[in-house]
Amino acid sequence: MKVGISRELLAVEWMPELIKRLGQLAPEIEWVHDPAAQIHPQLLLDGDACYPFKKMVRTSLSLLSEVEVLILPRIVSLDGFLMCPNFRALPDIVKINKERTERNRGVPLVSPVMEVSAQNHLEALSREVFKALFKNDARDHEPQLPDNKTEAKGLSGRDITNSIALIGHPYVLTDSRLNNDVPDILRINGFDTVTAQEIAFHQLTELAESRDYYAKKLYWRSARETLGAFLYFNEIQRPAGIIHLVPFNCGVDALLRIELMALHKRLNNATPYMVIICDEHTQRDHVVTRVEAFLDIVHGIKIN
Amino acid sequence: MKVTFPHLGSMYIFCKAMAETAGIPYVLPRPTSNRTREIGEYNTNESVCLPLKIILGNFVEALEDGADTIVMVGSGPPCRLGLYDRIIKVVLNDMGYDFRWLTIPGIFNWQALLQNREETRVLRKELTPGNYFRFPWAMAMGWKKMMWCEHLERTAAEMRAIARHPADVDRLLAQGLHNIDQAAGVLSLSRAGKAAVASLKAIEKSDRLPLRVIMVGEVYTVMEPSINMDIERRLGHLGVIVHRSSYFSTHIRRGSRMDRTLLKDREKLLKMAGPYLNYDVGAECNFSVAEAVQAQQEGYDGVVHVYPFSCMPETNAAAVLSTVGEDLNIPVLPVVIDRQDMGLRIDTQLEAFVDVMMWRSQGRIA
């Protein structure tokens, strides 16, 4: 059975585990993440949704002509914190667009609500998806997942002084179309990269907690990850610089940028920090120029 | 202590009445102007939604005028409104202002109560027993004034569309709101309210048949004319009665969870949006969709969907509403508001929209 999940969603926390578990429960699934050809349907979306969201919608719609079923979880919360409201609406937006196109109306969408913060939630979700795919319950003798999720290895013991830390949404950091190839540009300029996703989330959210004030808790998971990483790369392990990769019009990052900028001004001897709004650049050269200017500052600090 | 609060339609009359009746000194923020917007724009970034920028501008101007304590209504997840107070505090601190902050919790839980206790620790010492004693009466007076304001605004929306000279309605509304604001007691308030409504109803009428639209969308944009470019007035001048989805009292009643009917209505609306949105996206998204469906069922001529550029829930509502309009054959006008907006652009959009609704009502187009 050919089952599709858009490539962009694979970067979201817990999604690789979901796919792995579904693969264990149903080895006959053949996964498709990248459509052979991107279709360009007339989307209902108007202009001000963020580019990653539009790309998720387009990839999902393109996959419809190549799969038997499309899995599009309604990702509400992960690790006890919320995702942005767009993830709640994503399956509906894809469904409405799908119904407007003549082709692929018959391909079913499987859109379970995804609220995962522990392995047993993931197990339940996997079985729910299995049931939706095969119309029967998964067999009980399949191997169970371990009780604890495999956490990110962390960066301790690793020299990151010649690295640039990249912070932002995981789907932006991993997709060269969304991040304007910044990781590649940095490598060409002689810098390694480290990301927030290499550090355990519980460590990042603990750092972010220092900025919470009673009910005024940052409730989005990605915001906590980014804020925690910003603090980590300033206070615990110091890279050569921090670049915050932001999609234009991202509501979560719009607020977070204000907090990070203010925080950066107050820190003594803060790690150099720059924001790149990825889709405000139309050519790679624009991004190269910005990254080079930032690296000049980084070099200047090293020399001094 | 000098308290201030943001502008939100005629909410300032409610806040002012409360402060005056309870004997708490206050600073009324200046009317929102281009400068107010610019303060917000220069001290945030391009992707921050317009309400945050304007509220920030209101606070900066009030602090410049001597306020030292900011009172802000809180909200919850998942949209950005729930973090406005956190972020505005960060910006004001960064700008070097010295102020105290009090969030009126939008959601009552232990965290909110503890926060309230912490925030009012110093304020409580500055309040006199007289302030406390008069507070229930201040609440009642504020509420009565707000109800009169909203009644007057609803009447003005009806009358503007059929007035021979719609500008007269604007003048009478402004005068009526001023008189309500100035009323010092319940009797004088009642007299001022009744007189204002009567004067509005007595205006010279034209013989044109008004169109009816519902204005849905992000609450702040629906309620604050300086943000929505005064769409309600502009449409009124074109012969359209505008029914707003949100009034300040609606939010207080909903937030306090006292009014069961209102809560049941919300549940009903969520179900109404069900064919398009299967899950509560957050803020007003599902309600914008549901209210448009309801408007079609109730025979409205169109739907105006207003929201600030980059608003996460309403961006999804806009996508869904474009299909609702097609499915239910009702014109939907999305108006995305940001700093680039000019009255003339909005006028052109509204005129075209009114033409479409008028031709449809006359049977000239399907």
Side-chain angles (χ1 to χ4, degrees):
Chain A
M1 177 185 259
K2 274 190 164 182
V3 178
I5 291 189
S6 82
R7 166 71 59 194
E8 296 81 17
L9 287 176
L10 297 188
V12 175
E13 194 73 6
W14 290 97
M15 286 299 281
E17 285 85 354
L18 174 65
I19 288 172
K20 189 175 168 191
R21 183 59 182 147
L22 281 169
Q24 287 172 347
L25 293 173
E28 63 270 40
I29 292 179
E30 186 187 334
W31 293 106
V32 185
H33 303 303
D34 303 294
Q38 281 275 355
I39 59 160
H40 297 283
Q42 183 63 42
L43 294 183
L44 279 170
L45 276 175
D46 63 344
D48 53 334
C50 65
Y51 182 44
F53 183 67
K54 287 177 182 166
K55 195 162 180 275
M56 283 174 202
V57 174
R58 286 186 188 133
T59 306
S60 301
L61 288 171
S62 300
L63 281 172
L64 284 171
S65 55
E66 298 172 28
V67 299
E68 292 161 70
V69 182
L70 184 71
I71 299 178
L72 201 53
R74 197 182 297 277
I75 313 173
V76 174
S77 72
L78 297 175
D79 299 311
F81 295 97
L82 297 173
M83 299 294 280
C84 102
N86 287 348
F87 281 99
R88 295 180 179 208
L90 180 63
D92 295 319
I93 300 293
V94 170
K95 181 172 161 261
I96 292 170
N97 277 293
K98 171 176 159 282
E99 283 166 3
R100 277 166 56 100
T101 54
E102 287 304 314
R103 297 177 305 158
N104 315 317
R105 277 194 179 174
V107 178
L109 279 186
V110 175
S111 304
V113 172
M114 187 168 175
E115 290 179 291
V116 176
S117 54
Q119 292 293 82
N120 58 334
H121 302 155
L122 186 76
E123 182 66 24
L125 178 70
S126 308
R127 286 174 181 274
E128 187 186 340
V129 175
F130 182 95
K131 195 171 180 179
L133 292 178
F134 299 101
K135 314 292 177 218
N136 57 26
D137 291 324
R139 292 178 296 275
D140 282 336
H141 64 265
E142 296 294 342
Q144 294 285 316
L145 290 168
D147 285 343
N148 296 316
K149 185 187 169 204
T150 316
E151 291 242 315
K153 282 181 192 164
L155 298 169
S156 52
R158 190 170 146 193
D159 179 14
I160 62 166
T161 49
N162 197 42
S163 300
I164 299 294
L166 299 176
I167 59 176
H169 298 288
Y171 43 83
V172 175
L173 302 189
T174 52
D175 186 329
S176 62
R177 183 72 185 84
L178 294 177
N179 64 33
N180 268 338
D181 263 346
V182 167
D184 189 44
I185 296 167
L186 287 167
R187 267 189 289 276
I188 290 167
N189 281 278
F191 283 87
D192 290 332
T193 57
V194 289
T195 65
Q197 287 71 40
E198 293 174 60
I199 308 163
F201 178 69
H202 74 84
Q203 194 176 358
L204 298 179
T205 193
E206 272 169 32
L207 286 165
E209 215 167 277
S210 64
R211 304 274 303 167
D212 289 339
Y213 179 70
Y214 298 104
K216 290 300 119 188
K217 187 178 255 203
L218 262 187
Y219 36 68
W220 299 301
R221 188 194 184 282
S222 64
R224 296 189 77 78
E225 187 174 70
T226 306
L227 172 58
F230 179 87
L231 293 167
Y232 183 94
F233 292 127
N234 271 290
E235 293 171 358
I236 296 178
Q237 263 187 296
R238 198 181 155 107
I242 304 171
I243 296 181
H244 187 184
L245 295 168
V246 176
F248 175 67
N249 236 4
C250 170
V252 173
D253 281 340
L255 296 194
L256 194 60
R257 276 160 63 193
I258 294 175
E259 188 153 341
L260 295 190
M261 287 286 190
L263 196 55
H264 193 256
K265 278 190 209 169
R266 283 167 183 249
L267 288 169
N268 289 324
N269 191 25
T271 310
Y273 168 64
M274 176 174 72
V275 173
I276 292 184
I277 299 160
C278 295
D279 39 338
E280 72 181 9
H281 301 283
T282 51
Q283 289 182 32
R284 184 184 162 97
D285 289 348
H286 302 163
V287 188
V288 169
T289 308
R290 291 214 60 194
V291 170
E292 281 175 354
F294 180 68
L295 294 180
D296 282 349
I297 293 170
V298 168
H299 284 304
I301 287 174
K302 277 189 167 180
I303 292 163
N304 289 332
Chain B
M1 172 170 57
K2 275 194 174 177
V3 171
T4 192
F5 35 83
H7 273 299
L8 181 57
S10 52
M11 184 190 81
Y12 73 94
I13 295 177
F14 164 78
C15 297
K16 213 177 137 193
M18 275 187 58
E20 279 174 357
T21 315
I24 300 169
Y26 66 92
V27 171
L28 187 65
R30 294 173 218 167
T32 301
S33 63
N34 282 341
R35 181 178 182 266
T36 319
R37 276 185 177 219
E38 281 167 9
I39 291 169
E41 283 158 9
Y42 293 149
N43 292 288
T44 57
N45 61 56
E46 77 296 329
S47 298
V48 167
C49 48
L50 190 60
L52 187 144
K53 292 172 183 168
I54 296 222
I55 294 173
L56 172 64
N58 286 153
F59 287 156
V60 167
E61 289 182 330
L63 291 171
E64 286 172 353
D65 292 346
D68 58 17
T69 305
I70 292 170
V71 180
M72 171 83 184
V73 180
S75 182
C79 102
R80 290 183 281 187
L81 190 57
L83 291 171
Y84 270 21
D85 46 357
R86 172 171 170 148
I87 297 301
I88 291 174
K89 272 160 81 175
V90 166
V91 179
L92 291 175
N93 279 322
D94 201 37
M95 290 172 80
Y97 284 105
D98 191 20
F99 59 94
R100 292 172 305 193
W101 188 281
L102 173 63
T103 298
I104 310 290
I107 296 168
F108 291 93
N109 55 27
W110 279 112
Q111 286 287 310
L113 292 175
L114 287 171
Q115 182 179 330
N116 188 267
R117 189 168 162 269
E118 185 64 32
E119 286 175 341
T120 54
R121 194 185 293 274
V122 181
L123 299 179
R124 281 198 303 264
K125 288 179 191 158
E126 293 181 24
L127 292 172
T128 63
N131 296 140
Y132 284 110
F133 182 72
R134 286 185 297 222
F135 202 72
W137 175 236
M139 287 276 284
M141 191 63 185
W143 181 261
K144 278 179 193 296
K145 284 198 174 190
M146 184 170 56
M147 297 315 285
W148 270 114
C149 289
E150 292 180 0
H151 181 40
L152 200 59
E153 284 169 348
R154 283 192 181 97
T155 312
E158 298 267 345
M159 300 314 293
R160 201 183 272 124
I162 53 169
R164 183 164 298 282
H165 305 293
D168 289 348
V169 176
D170 301 339
R171 186 176 47 78
L172 290 171
L173 173 65
Q175 184 62 46
L177 290 175
H178 175 75
N179 292 346
I180 289 171
D181 182 26
Q182 294 300 310
V186 177
L187 282 177
S188 57
L189 169 62
S190 177
R191 270 198 301 272
K194 281 177 185 164
V197 171
S199 68
L200 277 174
K201 287 195 169 166
I203 53 146
E204 191 186 348
K205 297 174 186 66
S206 70
D207 52 2
R208 69 177 168 188
L209 279 176
L211 296 162
R212 284 196 315 145
V213 302
I214 185 157
M215 181 157 71
V216 301
E218 190 271 332
V219 288
Y220 206 89
T221 318
V222 169
M223 286 194 273
E224 174 56 40
S226 69
I227 293 193
N228 67 34
M229 309 293 293
D230 219 353
I231 280 180
E232 190 175 315
R233 185 185 59 78
R234 287 171 197 270
L235 277 169
H237 282 231
L238 295 170
V240 181
I241 298 173
V242 180
H243 290 260
R244 266 189 244 163
S245 61
S246 301
Y247 281 90
F248 187 51
S249 65
T250 329
H251 287 273
I252 293 191
R253 278 154 59 211
R254 196 185 295 152
S256 64
R257 306 188 72 81
M258 304 278 274
D259 190 337
R260 292 283 148 198
T261 325
L262 206 64
L263 295 175
K264 277 185 188 160
D265 285 349
R266 295 283 277 185
E267 278 171 29
K268 213 192 293 177
L269 284 172
L270 271 179
K271 279 188 190 148
M272 214 175 246
Y276 297 97
L277 290 167
N278 237 322
Y279 196 87
D280 187 359
V281 176
E284 296 302 300
C285 177
N286 297 51
F287 301 106
S288 296
V289 172
E291 281 156 354
V293 174
Q294 197 176 38
Q296 191 272 343
Q297 290 170 358
E298 292 176 2
Y300 279 78
D301 295 292
V303 177
V304 179
H305 179 220
V306 289
Y307 64 102
F309 178 66
S310 86
C311 173
M312 296 185 286
E314 292 302 327
T315 299
N316 290 297
V320 176
L321 279 172
S322 60
T323 204
V324 169
E326 260 183 45
D327 289 355
L328 305 181
N329 194 23
I330 183 169
V332 178
L333 177 71
V335 185
V336 193
I337 312 262
D338 200 21
R339 67 174 177 182
Q340 302 292 342
D341 283 303
M342 299 168 289
L344 289 175
R345 178 180 87 82
I346 301 282
D347 278 339
T348 310
Q349 266 186 309
L350 296 181
E351 281 165 15
F353 183 59
V354 170
D355 282 347
V356 169
M357 288 191 296
M358 203 164 57
W359 294 339
R360 279 167 56 93
S361 73
Q362 292 166 353
R364 289 160 66 189
I365 54 170

